[in-house]
Amino acid sequence: MSRVSFPKDFVFGFSESGFQFEMGLPGSEDPNGDWWAWVHDTDNIRAGLVSGDFPEDGPGYWHLYRMDHDIAERLGMDAARLGMEWSRIFSKPTFDVKVDYSLEKRYITHINIKEEHLKKLDEIANKEAVEHYREIFQDWKARGKKLIVCLYHWPLPLWMHDPIKARRSALREGPLGWLDKRCVIEFAKYVAYVAWKYNDLVDAWATMNEPNVVYSQGYINVKSGFPPGFLDLGAAMKTMMNMIEAHARAYDAIKISSKKPVGIIYAVSCIEPLKSEDEDVARRARRESTYAFLDAITRGVIEQGNIIRDDLRGRLDWLGVNYYTRLVVTSDARLGWRAVPGYGFLCQPDSLSLTGRPTSDFGWEVYPEGLHKVLSDLYARYKLPLMVTENGIADKSDRLRPRFIVSHIHQTYLALKEGVDVRGYLHWALVDNYEWASGFNMKFGLCQVDLKTKKRYLRPSALIFREIATRKSIPEELQYLTEPPC
Amino acid sequence: MSRVSFPKDFVFGFSESGFQFEMGLPGSEDPNGDWWAWVHDTDNIRAGLVSGDFPEDGPGYWHLYRMDHDIAERLGMDAARLGMEWSRIFSKPTFDVKVDYSLEKRYITHINIKEEHLKKLDEIANKEAVEHYREIFQDWKARGKKLIVCLYHWPLPLWMHDPIKARRSALREGPLGWLDKRCVIEFAKYVAYVAWKYNDLVDAWATMNEPNVVYSQGYINVKSGFPPGFLDLGAAMKTMMNMIEAHARAYDAIKISSKKPVGIIYAVSCIEPLKSEDEDVARRARRESTYAFLDAITRGVIEQGNIIRDDLRGRLDWLGVNYYTRLVVTSDARLGWRAVPGYGFLCQPDSLSLTGRPTSDFGWEVYPEGLHKVLSDLYARYKLPLMVTENGIADKSDRLRPRFIVSHIHQTYLALKEGVDVRGYLHWALVDNYEWASGFNMKFGLCQVDLKTKKRYLRPSALIFREIATRKSIPEELQYLTEPPC
Amino acid sequence: MSRVSFPKDFVFGFSESGFQFEMGLPGSEDPNGDWWAWVHDTDNIRAGLVSGDFPEDGPGYWHLYRMDHDIAERLGMDAARLGMEWSRIFSKPTFDVKVDYSLEKRYITHINIKEEHLKKLDEIANKEAVEHYREIFQDWKARGKKLIVCLYHWPLPLWMHDPIKARRSALREGPLGWLDKRCVIEFAKYVAYVAWKYNDLVDAWATMNEPNVVYSQGYINVKSGFPPGFLDLGAAMKTMMNMIEAHARAYDAIKISSKKPVGIIYAVSCIEPLKSEDEDVARRARRESTYAFLDAITRGVIEQGNIIRDDLRGRLDWLGVNYYTRLVVTSDARLGWRAVPGYGFLCQPDSLSLTGRPTSDFGWEVYPEGLHKVLSDLYARYKLPLMVTENGIADKSDRLRPRFIVSHIHQTYLALKEGVDVRGYLHWALVDNYEWASGFNMKFGLCQVDLKTKKRYLRPSALIFREIATRKSIPEELQYLTEPPC
Amino acid sequence: MSRVSFPKDFVFGFSESGFQFEMGLPGSEDPNGDWWAWVHDTDNIRAGLVSGDFPEDGPGYWHLYRMDHDIAERLGMDAARLGMEWSRIFSKPTFDVKVDYSLEKRYITHINIKEEHLKKLDEIANKEAVEHYREIFQDWKARGKKLIVCLYHWPLPLWMHDPIKARRSALREGPLGWLDKRCVIEFAKYVAYVAWKYNDLVDAWATMNEPNVVYSQGYINVKSGFPPGFLDLGAAMKTMMNMIEAHARAYDAIKISSKKPVGIIYAVSCIEPLKSEDEDVARRARRESTYAFLDAITRGVIEQGNIIRDDLRGRLDWLGVNYYTRLVVTSDARLGWRAVPGYGFLCQPDSLSLTGRPTSDFGWEVYPEGLHKVLSDLYARYKLPLMVTENGIADKSDRLRPRFIVSHIHQTYLALKEGVDVRGYLHWALVDNYEWASGFNMKFGLCQVDLKTKKRYLRPSALIFREIATRKSIPEELQYLTEPPC
């Protein structure tokens, strides 16, 4: 190995969401989302479903965005993926802005949003929030940087989803969020409005972040502490279908006012078979976990090809890949397949996986080659521009992050060299964040944040990142970090 | 320290339940209980709420009871607490055996079970199961041993509780188990029948095992994977009240045919304040966790004394104490109080607690002095004969169990010496068992069980136990094990 | 596996030496040996060559032998190998008791010890010590037990070896111990005297314990803190040759008065090649470490066959095998061969070896199959009765010892079943001992000793040992301990 | 804390020695020193006294100095302390260049080196080596950097010290190095020559590196594997006295041709009492370990003031402080005082000290506040300019080094702020080095070295160092690293 150089237009940057970063200083609170209600729910806290930490004690990006942009700039970053909170823009329902839509069978195949609707939406939108996001985006753009805006990173407005009520009623009483078809329509309005409002500042759009996590954690892996935490496989499937549709309608909605590429950000694990006999179930697991969703919004294929929906087809200009580690799967008599403990996401914290690789504070195995694999597989299947939209590690003491960064960037390089059209690498995260049900314990930041003073401190890995980002190459003197530790 | 001798009539023995030990060999399966349905539920397995292990792969006590009794005898044990499964005796509903009962307000204050009812119950009882339990009990009694029978150790008949349906419907559709008042009545019938049937063999009765765990895990700590796993504080409280009443009615029902003492077995943690300012919340936590229930069935006091119910008062002849470790509590603005991680039940597995004490495979701190404290406190408050009905440790490699056993027996001795009327020490467990939602991973046995061959193997601690049990004293040469390791 | 039974005359017992066990209570001190001087030397302590612990703070067997014999009896032991201290019997020089001897070349091929010499020795022998050893031996024999006496377990009388002076003078000034030919003669006198004196009580004799350790630690591995700690390969070789000769002359000396079998006790590691290419150097290492010495005293072969000495040939009736772990060796350009770190003796304490096996507090890998191998190899080569004269583990917390004991006894059984004539298994140690330069930190006892009170406490493994020793078989219920931990 | 800024003329840099860094590529070998002989000695290797690694496989600074200077420059370094090897300059004896000297009692109080001697020395000096050092020095100076040259960093020419012979003969046969008075004279000649030769390039001189380590490891702590590894307290004391005198004569010798400040580099531990009662022995330990030597060459005081020697007094212009960790001492009946295991240098590798601080791969406790203390104490006592001439950590994985660097630089800052005249901080080491008897296992480098390819790789901590060195301040965003990890 010697030259590991990226093209000039390959971007290095950071990724963040609204809920996990914005709050922290007085005036930054947004109590209008389902996640806010969820993490403050006393029963949830007592049950240990959520940490008892609160996002209003967070890093405070809402006020400190300039400071964070300064840091990002100094670290050589040229792109950011930022999140917008629907519940900030529309803290009150948008139902009254009536739009027409086509219903075929039970599918919403088209939503007819016109300028008049956008103007009405503008009237009921939260002016202050609209303006504040503009300031944030402008500050970043003024530095000559790329801006990707993600329109949904998990919180839904409370008027669209009351997760406590939903769970208490066994999903019989709502609002039920993505289980409610209206969510598709209201989401499209919100998205159309935002695209209309910020098109001048945004280089690329992502409709959603990790929809697959939303429905699997919310309705299947209920121990994860995600709303509404009600075990119901059918609800998971229905949510998936509605989110597919919502993405497609959001895609269309953006295109009304914007020519910028519209993508989705997906949580992609590298799924590997435990034994060679498990290759079939690994394929099945990949299909269920990843391809089912993405096939729908690219090829229009749903339910494994039994149905083709033209209204879904071709609704993806680029694909954001959030990669953390792998899943090793094996066949299971009852479940079809299951992930095997001791690998990937299913390891002990601060320990070693069964193959001797280090694991993060979260118990996630460091498995860089998986990033190469998923980039190659996704590109081979979809031939779309890719971007690594999240990659990082919960590593409070920064003992693993330097090597984590270099090796994952290196794996991205290997994919690129093989012809995969990957356009950038955005690290999760620039600063420590509020990690959903886990609260503040999981530290993903290149910068450590003192939650009391909100001061940012550089972890050593931040300097490693800077070395790479400023040169758009992995200098030879850091290449040893692409190898596993000896 | 030198002589640590127990009275001649102090018993050493083991404790076990039906569901966790009986199954294992063909013909031993009991699919009629709610726990069976719960641990086989595919959604539960997929969600990681239960382990995916099944009780029908268990140690097989149903067939191998003689082998286990042999071992217990060789280990010097002179008492056993065994469980009976309601769902084995009455796999079908007993509703049709109509009995009269008094209702005051919404309280069932008396159930009038007569011999005719017992005979009718005998007709619908599962003959084979009834006979088989008799064989098990006889085998143990024939060895000249003490027998304590516990009538409820968590599984309810499916016709009384469908936990999957209960959860799916947000507790709107049943049968709902202890949330259903009928459960009080049917339980009383079952108990009356069993007392009538086995009175000749049983030395003491326990109506229930750890009712407090049933309602707190079932409706509050839903991550624990207990049925029905539906977060509802109100349901927890209602369950608690119904179980109090059910205990009282079961007490009365036993007394119809049996003069043997009737007790309850309760999960008692040693609750300690984190800081001296927390003494108040510690008191409150003790009251809520332990005294509220026991005050009701001894003094008739409920809701902190606002109500006195004569139909509950005086319904306890003895108290079984299940002790594992402590809870360290502190005040919490939202919850009133909460347990502090790093102590007691809330530690990392196979590690050290915050005060440097070793922790079990379950992450439970070894805290022997807590046993002394709870025995003293309970005796001071209730002046009833006590028995340690469970005490043990998940310790696959037996690295902690030798010291665990000696130090906890020693703490029992200290309580005894101070005048506490404690009658025996029953270890959990004689052999490895099925640990509810955790499956077979947690190994509590003095004997290791090969689940394939069902062979039993002695752990070193079994020999330590034997040294003490056969002499009814801790020999000097083992007394070093009463001290923490150096 | 099911029956693992040993012949009735197979003995289970314990092994101990004088210096490491005798001292501890007032009046037990023996300051006349080289090891006493060595461990008290301030320079040695300051240099960290010895621990700074002192043998006079030891377990006190000199006074407490009855207590220890009681324990051994209760543990089902029927044999003991005890040590005698030359410096206790002859605290003053024996030079003046002149004996004739034949010198061929520079070899002492015969020493003519007659009854008159024995009587003269009796006059200068330390009466009290002579009588005290008799009492110890009698106490053991009176229990109907086997007694093996080892005549040299490392300390030499100070008049025969001054290790401080030896080192200070670069071995130019003495007395120089085994480097001095006179040591061969004086040792023979001492041995002849002891055999004459105690023949009635002793079932078998061992001339020496682990001569190979004496010269390799004393002159090669000088970091081990053994006297005289002077790096000199030539001195090591010369010591080896003198010890071979001393053994042969001691053998002859015992035979004057005793018909009991005379053996030697040797430290035997299981030497294995790192890679298949290393098989040659492994053979060489075995020859140099083990066969060179034993070939000399059985076949009379020295220096790889270039010399045959009749006066050495046939001087071995039985062979004691001290086995602890293995050595994995590889070829080395400078040294011929060397042991590889991460295996056998060269591991980290309380950790895992490179093949994942647990290691002791000393950093010695648990490697039971090596015992089987060395017994087979030694029997195939020498066709002499064997006995495991030492086997045990430094394991303060007794986390490894239960499995260690069962698996090593099981490997002995496997050798026996294959036809190896192994007569017994003596555990090191009954109680915690003074571990030479390491002091009291390394705990080898089945019993823990409180060095302040001298009280003995049973470790759990003692009870495991008892289960096996009392039945002369490994009961089925302990056979799981023959397998590595899972 | 906010501004942590150093004066402009405060230097940041690196320290290195000849033997540990120079060799590595063909032609760089220097087989003429005692350390070369020592580490190649087969007996030493077999005994484990030395690692079996060889300096000729080292980082290769002799050829790669430009590369390392490039790195240092890029890391913002403005000073280097480099070592010269006496055995390279004079591979043959210099005895024949006769000089006059004054002998008072047995003291060499003056050596009369004249230009004629220097010219004769020039004739027998190794031209190539002389020239090569000049190239190295010039390369560094040409970058505008400060150069400190240390004239003795442990190897002595073999013609002055044969450590194998010395040990073999119990120090009776030589050459015996510093035990030989001639060493004082020959050292002065070598030093005079070098000062005469390189004065134009050198900013400051150090006569010796850590003389205290030379005599304590060589003659007391013989397990450390330092030549000649012969336990002899008297020899240690004599060596100390000769090195004091050698320093003074070297000081004078430099002053013949150079006006640059002449210092010594000393290994200073922070010596602390275990308990308050130990304050006296702590004082004694500080005096014996540090002040005895330094008092002699500053105040002329030897043997605690009984003797004042004018020929020693005032021979120090500056003092180099090598600081790694502390020693916690307690009183000891036999030794006066001893260091307590579990603190400072006496901890387990990669673990925690008894006070919970992390320890290095060498088992050295991270104890930054000790640096502040020793700087303050030394300045208070001697009022001389100080420089931190070594400070660093063996930390292969770089998990501790980032915090180690920042906190030690911060402690230096605290001393400075209090008025201590500390002029710079030189890190040990720029690149991984040959760590004497420990070989290549202990990794001290800011840069990792691939010993096969000789490539240098940046550890993350190198970037941390650069942040500080380039600004001559600890930026706020790194100040969290001055606190212990949470």
Side-chain angles (χ1 to χ4, degrees), chain A residues 1 74 396 399 402 448 455-460 463-464 466-467 476-480 486, chain D residues 1 74 396 399 402 448 455-460 463-464 466-467 476-480 486:
Chain A
M1 189 166 27
R74 275 193 291 130
K396 189 188 309 199
R399 67 185 182 97
Q448 180 175 318
K455 279 197 183 165
R456 274 72 169 141
Y457 296 106
L458 289 182
R459 290 204 169 88
L463 301 176
I464 294 286
R466 184 178 67 186
E467 292 299 295
E476 260 202 273
E477 61 201 5
L478 293 180
Q479 290 181 9
Y480 75 108
C486 53
Chain D
M1 187 167 27
R74 275 192 292 131
K396 188 188 309 195
R399 68 186 180 97
Q448 180 174 319
K455 279 196 183 165
R456 274 74 168 139
Y457 296 106
L458 289 182
R459 291 205 168 88
L463 301 176
I464 294 286
R466 184 178 67 186
E467 292 299 296
E476 260 203 271
E477 61 201 4
L478 293 181
Q479 290 181 10
Y480 75 108
C486 54

Side-chain angles (χ1 to χ4, degrees), chain C residues 149-397:
Chain C
V149 167
C150 178
L151 295 157
Y152 167 74
H153 199 134
W154 300 0
L156 288 173
L158 258 177
W159 53 262
M160 197 65 250
H161 189 216
D162 180 339
I164 307 300
K165 201 169 167 191
R167 178 180 58 196
R168 284 214 147 254
S169 68
L171 308 180
R172 294 171 189 196
E173 295 160 39
L176 290 172
W178 292 113
L179 281 173
D180 184 339
K181 271 284 175 188
R182 293 180 307 165
C183 198
V184 175
I185 298 161
E186 301 313 310
F187 183 60
K189 289 182 201 165
Y190 152 65
V191 165
Y193 174 75
V194 167
W196 178 64
K197 212 60 192 174
Y198 300 101
N199 182 45
D200 56 321
L201 293 170
V202 175
D203 296 295
W205 300 98
T207 57
M208 297 173 170
N209 178 74
E210 301 185 354
N212 48 329
V213 172
V214 171
Y215 57 78
S216 61
Q217 309 293 72
Y219 300 101
I220 301 174
N221 306 317
V222 295
K223 286 173 87 170
S224 64
F226 273 50
F230 186 79
L231 186 53
D232 186 331
L233 208 56
M237 290 302 99
K238 189 170 170 194
T239 297
M240 176 184 164
M241 286 304 152
N242 285 350
M243 291 187 89
I244 286 170
E245 195 169 70
H247 165 80
R249 298 296 71 82
Y251 180 96
D252 297 343
I254 293 168
K255 294 296 186 182
I256 297 168
S257 351
S258 175
K259 297 209 153 71
K260 303 296 167 49
V262 178
I264 200 165
I265 293 170
Y266 206 82
V268 189
S269 303
C270 176
I271 296 177
E272 299 187 333
L274 178 64
K275 306 174 296 258
S276 56
E277 311 90 273
D278 294 320
E279 185 51 65
D280 274 356
V281 294
R283 256 190 296 274
R284 177 175 161 194
R286 279 180 216 118
R287 194 183 65 231
E288 291 178 13
S289 305
T290 308
Y291 301 145
F293 197 106
L294 297 177
D295 282 4
I297 61 176
T298 51
R299 307 171 178 182
V301 168
I302 58 176
E303 290 173 29
Q304 294 191 49
N306 289 338
I307 300 172
I308 304 281
R309 282 177 58 179
D310 282 341
D311 69 303
L312 302 180
R313 188 162 51 190
R315 261 63 174 193
L316 203 63
D317 304 333
W318 68 278
L319 175 59
V321 176
N322 291 357
Y323 175 78
Y324 289 94
T325 187
R326 63 172 162 174
L327 280 181
V328 169
V329 301
T330 193
S331 64
D332 182 281
R334 283 166 195 265
L335 306 177
W337 60 272
R338 61 179 178 83
V340 184
Y343 303 91
F345 286 103
L346 304 184
C347 299
Q348 295 302 308
D350 275 321
S351 173
L352 293 177
S353 73
L354 285 183
T355 53
R357 290 153 172 278
T359 68
S360 76
D361 296 345
F362 235 144
W364 298 357
E365 188 185 23
V366 176
Y367 192 69
E369 54 271 59
L371 177 53
H372 180 180
K373 286 196 206 173
V374 301
L375 292 172
S376 295
D377 287 357
L378 290 167
Y379 188 65
R381 191 172 183 101
Y382 299 112
K383 294 291 176 198
L384 285 171
L386 303 178
M387 177 166 292
V388 179
T389 35
E390 283 186 28
N391 178 245
I393 182 166
D395 178 24
K396 190 189 308 197
S397 69

Side-chain angles (χ1 to χ4, degrees), chain B residues 101-109 181 245 302-303 306-309 311:
Chain B
Y101 54 91
S102 326
L103 260 182
E104 294 175 27
K105 298 178 199 167
R106 290 157 306 127
Y107 305 149
I108 298 172
T109 57
K181 271 284 175 187
E245 194 169 71
I302 58 177
E303 290 174 29
N306 289 337
I307 299 172
I308 303 282
R309 283 175 59 179
D311 69 303

Side-chain angles (χ1 to χ4, degrees), chain A residues 361-378:
Chain A
D361 296 346
F362 235 146
W364 298 357
E365 188 186 23
V366 176
Y367 192 70
E369 54 270 61
L371 177 53
H372 181 180
K373 285 197 208 174
V374 302
L375 292 173
S376 296
D377 287 356
L378 290 167

Side-chain angles (χ1 to χ4, degrees), chain A residues 13-16 21 61 64-65 67-73 75 77 80 140 426-433 444-449 456-459 462 465:
Chain A
F14 68 100
S15 241
E16 62 185 55
F21 293 85
Y61 177 75
L64 304 175
Y65 60 90
M67 182 192 290
D68 287 349
H69 294 174
D70 283 353
I71 294 171
E73 201 164 8
L75 296 185
M77 291 173 167
W140 183 244
L426 308 183
H427 194 72
W428 185 278
L430 182 65
V431 299
D432 289 339
N433 59 280
F444 278 92
L446 293 172
C447 299
Q448 180 175 318
V449 175
R456 274 72 169 141
Y457 296 106
L458 289 182
R459 290 204 169 88
F465 188 93

